[in-house]
Amino acid sequence: MSAVLLGLPAHAQDHSPEAVAAAILTGFTRADATMILPHLNAYNAESMSPEVFEEHPFETIFDAPRAHAAMAWDGMILPARFDYLNTAFVPFAIETETGFASLTSGEPGRLIVVFLDLDSPEDTTWGWEDFGYMDRERYLGFLEERQ
């Protein structure tokens, strides 16, 4: 796996979506918002202004159910797949009937995915959009390379 990115935006020419997803997930496993903030997309970064921070501290993201899967991440991810807008989808866990499981578990269920978009004025920087759920068939139907 690529080295974990710390504190810098991840330019798409230099860093793969898998490396960016790994950096974000590492921030979650350590419950360290400072490792995640540099990788937010423009919309999420704007919503993390000091005024918003005072009302809703960023650390509250660690309380969300999908965040619990990220916090328990075991280091395994699948290759990124891309939609026609070049959103990258990087699976890192499986949603199960009782919560979540590692990709290596063989459990049935939807994939839990890091969504990254190219979100800068020149669309050159990978930005974390969210975590989401995705059927395996849908993931496999996306493109293996960016357009």
Side-chain angles (χ1 to χ4, degrees):
M1 179 53 51
S2 299
V4 173
L5 306 169
L6 298 174
L8 300 170
H11 294 286
Q13 293 81 3
D14 302 323
H15 301 287
S16 71
E18 294 90 350
V20 177
I24 294 162
L25 291 165
T26 299
F28 271 89
T29 62
R30 297 178 184 174
D32 185 348
T34 63
M35 292 179 71
I36 300 165
L37 287 170
H39 304 296
L40 297 177
N41 67 12
Y43 175 80
N44 287 335
E46 188 175 298
S47 67
M48 292 295 118
S49 68
E51 298 81 30
V52 174
F53 250 28
E54 285 183 25
E55 285 185 42
H56 305 284
F58 184 75
E59 283 74 12
T60 60
I61 68 162
F62 298 117
D63 298 332
R66 292 172 294 195
H68 294 172
M71 293 173 77
W73 179 57
D74 66 355
M76 174 69 175
I77 58 175
L78 294 178
R81 296 282 183 130
F82 304 89
D83 67 9
Y84 70 96
L85 296 173
N86 283 324
T87 300
F89 306 101
V90 184
F92 67 93
I94 300 168
E95 177 192 35
T96 66
E97 290 183 15
T98 58
F100 56 87
S102 167
L103 290 172
T104 59
S105 71
E107 293 280 333
R110 293 186 299 176
L111 298 170
I112 306 175
V113 179
V114 177
F115 292 0
L116 300 168
D117 55 25
L118 290 172
D119 196 38
S120 68
E122 302 83 25
D123 282 337
T124 60
T125 304
W126 289 114
W128 178 47
E129 172 66 31
D130 204 350
F131 295 128
Y133 300 106
M134 183 176 289
D135 291 326
R136 295 169 193 226
E137 295 78 23
R138 183 172 180 217
Y139 164 75
L140 292 172
F142 283 120
L143 303 170
E144 293 182 25
E145 295 184 17
R146 284 176 43 207
Q147 294 293 309

